[in-house]
């Protein structure tokens, strides 16, 4: 069965909390493609990152400049495929394993969210069977033509009018409801991303929201509990995931990213994209008022032969080119957050991640625009990452290796393995555990 034809992305087999596994992930971004191979080992509960059942050690990594991608979507299948193959090959060689399937993130396709509730009648105190029935009822949510479900996750239970029930088992009432979060995206970019991976003779184990998995990698437990908006600023996209009560409750995104700032710099300074990229990263800033006009940068000119050498440009002038675009992006994020469950989380903070979050002064400008606490996020608790991959640009890639630990929460597909996973440590017991831990 091709799940996409049924409005579903492939769903990964939940990882047993007691087993080790080798997992592979490919982050197919607009500017870079990164393949990570990780060993997941069951870990004892610790004081930090308590929701993680496994520790993650990266045993292979390959990253290459992206090709055939625009705004997070594949625009040239052959070029993208080639780049994916190359990244996978490097990671396989380093890990000395051959991979057959990968977890991939999606940033394109106007990712959005729907919240909905499923309800069942109760005739006696809530049992495992009732929880199973209400989750199964939640499973029947359908999506509009042309959209696919990336995630369908239980957020909270309620009994009659009492919301936020942590542990419904044993409670009495007339109706048991579960509130579900369903994250969806356009079918076409999802299908083309899957095709790209499959042409590399790899199966797509799961396709996930990039900002969600970035959040799994960068958020501390408290942040996910009290409320956080993870904003992953990539090259061609900015994607958002809101967490509350430990759960992923909202997704959004748009097709603007660091690349648009680079293009503004190239145009504004009449220099090449490569020089604009370097100048932005080394000397650019989101804040223009902290520079002296004598603080200058040499800018190679595209028509240097006619001009007789590079131009000198002040850093203040460079910041004035960058500022309107980054402000536009942050204001879009602000407006989208205002229309999301984040608006109801007064203690919620914004965590900026993705390569684009490294722009100097961004945190300060973002705090002014959001009027919230803002911090920059990089992957937490992942061992074996080489120095260049420890930064925010690898949040999504790292998060793809954390995701398998959260895959058991997904509700949108009847799983063949489901009947094998009931029992004391089984599937529903674990959902119960997570909902309990999540509050
Ligand atoms: N020091 C820096 N200052 C400003 N921008 C930076 C810096 N370092 C990297 N960037 C920007 O980060 C972007 C790349 O980020 P990232 O690797 O997260 O993107 P991607 O995953 O390839 O793209 P997407 O997620 O949009 O598909 C580029 O636009 C780059 O210019
Ligand atoms: Mg990205």
């Amino acid at each position: 069965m091709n799940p996409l034809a049924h409005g579903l992305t492939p769903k990964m087999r939940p990882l047993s909390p007691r087993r080790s596994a080798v997992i592979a992930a490919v982050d197919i971004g607009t500017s870079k493609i990164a393949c990570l191979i990780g060993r997941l080992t069951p870990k004892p509960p610790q004081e930090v990152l308590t929701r993680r059942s496994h520790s993650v050690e990266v045993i292979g990594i390959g990253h290459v400049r992206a090709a055939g991608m625009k705004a997070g979507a594949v625009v040239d299948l052959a070029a993208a495929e080639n780049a994916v193959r190359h990244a996978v090959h490097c990671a396989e060689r380093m890990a000395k394993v051959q991979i057959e399937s990968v977890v991939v993130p999606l940033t394109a396709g106007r990712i959005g969210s729907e919240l909905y509730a499923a309800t069942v009648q109760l005739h006696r105190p809530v049992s495992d069977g009732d929880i199973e029935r209400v989750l199964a009822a939640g499973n029947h949510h359908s999506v509009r033509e042309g959209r696919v479900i990336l995630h369908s996750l239980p957020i909270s239970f309620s009994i009659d009018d009492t919301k936020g029930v942590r542990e419904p088992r044993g409670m009495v009432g007339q109706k048991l409801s579960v509130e579900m979060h369903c994250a969806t995206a356009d079918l076409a970019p999802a299908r083309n991303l899957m095709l790209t991976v499959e042409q590399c003779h790899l199966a797509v184990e799961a396709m996930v929201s990039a900002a969600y998995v970035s959040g799994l990698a960068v958020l501390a437990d408290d942040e996910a509990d009290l409320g956080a908006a993870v904003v992953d600023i990539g090259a061609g996209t900015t994607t958002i995931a809101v967490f509350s009560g430990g759960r992923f409750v909202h997704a959004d995104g748009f097709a603007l990213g660091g690349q648009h700032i680079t293009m503004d710099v190239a145009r504004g300074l009449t220099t090449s994209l490569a020089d604009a990229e370097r100048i932005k990263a080394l000397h650019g800033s989101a804040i223009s008022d902290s520079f002296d006009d004598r603080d200058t940068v040499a800018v190679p000119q595209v028509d240097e032969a006619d001009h007789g050498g590079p131009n000198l440009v002040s850093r203040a002038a460079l910041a004035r080119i960058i500022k309107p675009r980054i402000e536009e992006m942050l204001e879009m994020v602000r407006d989208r957050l205002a229309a999301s469950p984040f608006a109801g989380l007064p203690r919620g903070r914004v965590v900026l991640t993705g390569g684009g979050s490294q722009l100097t002064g961004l945190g300060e400008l973002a705090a002014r625009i959001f009027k919230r606490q803002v911090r920059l996020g990089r992957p937490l608790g992942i061992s074996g990452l080489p120095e260049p991959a420890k930064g925010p640009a690898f949040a999504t890639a790292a998060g793809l290796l954390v995701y398998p630990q959260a895959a058991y929460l997904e509700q949108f597909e009847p799983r063949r393995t489901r009947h094998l996973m009931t029992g004391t440590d089984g599937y529903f017991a674990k959902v119960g555990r997570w909902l309990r831990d999540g509050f």
Side-chain angles (χ1 to χ4, degrees), residues 269-280:
L269 302 181
T270 56
T271 190
S272 68
L273 281 175
D275 284 320
E277 178 68 34
R278 181 179 53 79
I279 290 167
K280 174 185 80 169

Side-chain angles (χ1 to χ4, degrees), residues 26 200 335 382:
V26 189
C200 301
D335 295 348
I382 313 276

Side-chain angles (χ1 to χ4, degrees), residues 29-32 107 234-237 258-259 262 277 280-281 354-356 358-359 393:
T30 311
S31 72
K32 64 157 194 327
T107 54
T237 63
Q259 210 174 50
T262 304
E277 178 68 34
K280 174 185 80 169
Q358 297 170 100
L359 180 68

Side-chain angles (χ1 to χ4, degrees), residues 5-6 50 61 70 74 93 103 107 129 145-146 163 191 253 257 263 305 344 347 375 388 390:
H6 298 266
T50 51
I61 177 165
K70 190 177 173 199
V74 178
R93 217 171 33 193
V103 187
T107 54
E145 184 83 18
K163 294 197 164 127
R191 182 180 273 167
M263 288 192 275
R347 287 190 292 167
R375 77 165 180 99
K390 286 187 175 154

Side-chain angles (χ1 to χ4, degrees), residues 10 18 20 30 39 42 81 150 158 244-245 284 296 331 333 340-341 355 383 398:
R18 280 168 303 194
S20 295
T30 311
R39 183 178 290 119
E81 179 200 327
L150 297 176
S158 34
S244 168
T296 55
E331 283 164 5
V333 172
S340 83
S383 64

Side-chain angles (χ1 to χ4, degrees), residues 8-307:
L8 303 168
T9 51
K11 234 33 266 155
M12 120 173 261
R13 233 185 118 141
L15 186 68
S16 157
R18 280 168 303 194
R19 292 237 175 87
S20 295
V22 170
I23 302 282
V26 189
D27 177 10
I28 307 176
T30 311
S31 72
K32 64 157 194 327
I33 297 186
C35 175
L36 296 189
I37 302 176
R39 183 178 290 119
L40 276 65
T41 315
K43 74 167 178 69
Q46 281 164 353
E47 292 192 349
V48 291
L49 304 174
T50 51
R51 283 198 190 86
R52 297 203 193 160
S53 55
H54 289 66
S55 60
V56 179
E57 182 197 359
V58 173
I59 56 172
I61 177 165
H63 58 103
V64 300
R65 183 196 289 264
M69 298 293 296
K70 190 177 173 199
V74 178
V75 290
D76 179 337
L77 260 179
E81 179 200 327
N82 225 343
V84 171
R85 266 181 206 278
H86 191 182
V88 168
H89 180 69
C90 295
E92 283 183 330
R93 217 171 33 193
M94 180 173 162
K96 298 193 179 66
V97 295
Q98 208 176 359
I99 61 178
E100 284 164 9
S101 59
V102 291
V103 187
V104 294
L106 187 70
T107 54
R110 300 180 296 150
I111 288 173
S113 285
E114 285 166 52
L115 296 181
Y116 65 98
T119 302
V120 294
Q121 295 294 323
L122 293 173
H123 305 290
R124 57 190 86 79
V126 176
S127 63
D128 282 354
D130 295 318
I131 295 177
E132 186 168 343
R133 275 196 305 135
V134 77
L135 289 172
N139 196 358
H140 289 306
H141 188 65
S142 59
V143 286
R144 262 182 298 130
E145 184 83 18
R147 301 279 289 176
V148 283
I149 297 180
L150 297 176
H151 301 282
S152 183
L153 302 165
I155 296 179
S156 75
F157 290 111
S158 34
I159 292 183
D160 298 339
D161 293 329
T162 310
K163 294 197 164 127
V165 172
R166 292 169 191 220
E167 171 52 284
R169 239 164 290 214
M171 290 180 68
V172 291
Q174 293 187 322
K175 287 180 305 180
L176 171 68
S177 308
V178 64
E179 194 181 16
M180 306 284 297
H181 170 211
C182 184
T184 64
D186 287 342
L187 172 63
R191 182 180 273 167
N192 286 314
L193 196 67
M194 204 154 145
L195 253 179
T196 307
V197 173
E198 286 172 352
Q199 293 201 341
C200 301
H201 303 288
L202 292 168
V204 173
E205 208 154 346
M207 187 178 289
V208 296
S209 142
Y212 171 42
V213 297
S214 292
L216 293 180
V218 307
L219 288 184
D221 292 342
D222 284 3
E223 292 174 322
D225 287 338
L226 295 175
V230 176
V231 180
D232 188 309
I233 307 176
T237 63
T238 295
T239 49
I240 303 170
V242 176
F243 288 73
S244 168
R247 293 140 302 168
F248 171 40
V249 298
H250 186 76
D252 206 336
F254 51 85
L256 279 180
Q259 210 174 50
H260 297 86
I261 302 174
T262 304
M263 288 192 275
D264 291 347
V265 171
R267 216 171 291 133
L269 302 181
T270 56
T271 190
S272 68
L273 281 175
D275 284 320
E277 178 68 34
R278 181 179 53 79
I279 290 167
K280 174 185 80 169
L282 288 178
H283 308 287
S285 172
I287 311 252
S288 55
D289 44 22
S290 58
F291 298 110
D292 184 311
D293 267 345
R294 286 164 299 184
D295 188 357
T296 55
V297 182
V299 181
Q301 295 295 289
V302 275
D303 49 359
E304 209 163 284
D306 303 338
H307 281 78

